Amino acid sequence: MAIIRPFQPFDLPGMYRVCLRTGDSGRDATGLYHDPDLLAHVYAAPYPAADPGLTFVAADADGVLGYIVATADTFRFETWLEEHWWPALRERYPRERAADPGDGTEDWQRIAHIHETRPQADELYDRYPAHLHIDILPRGQGVGLGRRLMATLVEALRERRVRGLHLGVGSGNPGAFAFYQAVGFSEERPGDWGSIMVMDLRG
């Protein structure tokens, strides 16, 4: 049975692997990237760097098989990214690489995100300031591990008196949408790309 524990720096390589192998709407995204680290540079690694107390790892005898990462304050986190995280990545991945090479790979989309994203206030953050990403390899799915990771994070956020939590789920991942509903999220902003879902943590 997998254990859930607070993040340690030695977990990062395993988190990078999990992020890539679940990065195509829950499916393995290895074939979509020339650079296998790009996805986690954006969606996993900055969270424990900014606030390691809100990253939790699931591990079994074979290593890291899942994680949940979060920030308690999305706008402050976006500001931190702009000041401390994106500059090095913008230098490493020049803007001219943010062009579609036409070979079906998606490195260029992540590179465009690195260069184009900026802190942006949103009234949603007033009610649901925290946000998260959760990824679990197939061998850890269907056994309640996602619920355990989510419960661990929610407890940590409530200890900090964070009032609400949000996340984005793509339309290509209906299983994730159903999971989030099952653990207490509701749809706040539906769109063509997917949905923003929210959870009130004050109860």
Side-chain angles (χ1 to χ4, degrees):
M1 182 176 180
I3 62 167
I4 294 174
R5 53 176 173 72
F7 166 83
Q8 297 294 329
F10 58 72
D11 292 318
L12 266 178
M15 291 175 63
Y16 269 76
R17 288 192 295 272
V18 172
C19 188
L20 181 65
R21 290 178 57 195
T22 59
D24 182 18
S25 296
R27 299 176 293 273
D28 191 344
T30 301
L32 297 178
Y33 289 89
H34 294 299
D35 186 329
D37 293 338
L38 259 172
L39 265 176
H41 286 336
V42 175
Y43 296 115
Y47 292 85
D51 188 349
L54 292 178
T55 292
F56 299 93
V57 169
D60 62 11
D62 295 319
V64 174
L65 75 161
Y67 61 80
I68 192 166
V69 297
T71 177
D73 186 326
T74 294
F75 184 74
R76 181 176 295 178
F77 177 68
E78 290 177 350
T79 302
W80 178 88
L81 289 170
E82 184 64 25
E83 295 175 354
H84 301 286
W85 193 256
W86 299 139
L89 290 176
R90 288 168 181 161
E91 183 174 349
R92 179 174 176 180
Y93 300 99
R95 182 182 288 273
E96 54 265 29
R97 293 178 59 184
D100 187 352
D103 61 2
T105 57
E106 297 183 0
D107 301 63
W108 67 280
Q109 296 180 16
R110 304 291 80 77
I111 294 170
H113 178 93
I114 288 167
H115 283 276
E116 295 169 7
T117 188
R118 295 290 186 277
Q120 187 171 355
D122 189 318
E123 59 85 20
L124 181 80
Y125 302 163
D126 295 334
R127 295 173 292 147
Y128 308 101
H131 80 262
L132 71 88
H133 296 284
I134 181 172
D135 291 305
I136 302 172
L137 293 176
R139 76 173 191 267
Q141 296 174 9
V143 293
L145 186 56
R147 286 179 177 271
R148 290 169 58 203
L149 282 166
M150 192 70 71
T152 302
L153 175 65
V154 166
E155 180 180 2
L157 290 171
R158 283 180 168 151
E159 287 177 355
R160 297 190 186 193
R161 291 179 167 79
V162 178
R163 63 181 300 177
L165 175 63
H166 73 274
L167 57 84
V169 57
S171 57
N173 199 348
F177 185 88
F179 165 74
Y180 295 132
Q181 284 187 313
V183 297
F185 284 86
S186 59
E187 188 176 40
E188 177 78 4
R189 292 181 184 171
D192 293 339
W193 65 273
S195 301
I196 298 293
M197 304 184 76
V198 298
M199 179 190 290
D200 192 322
L201 299 179
R202 294 173 297 178

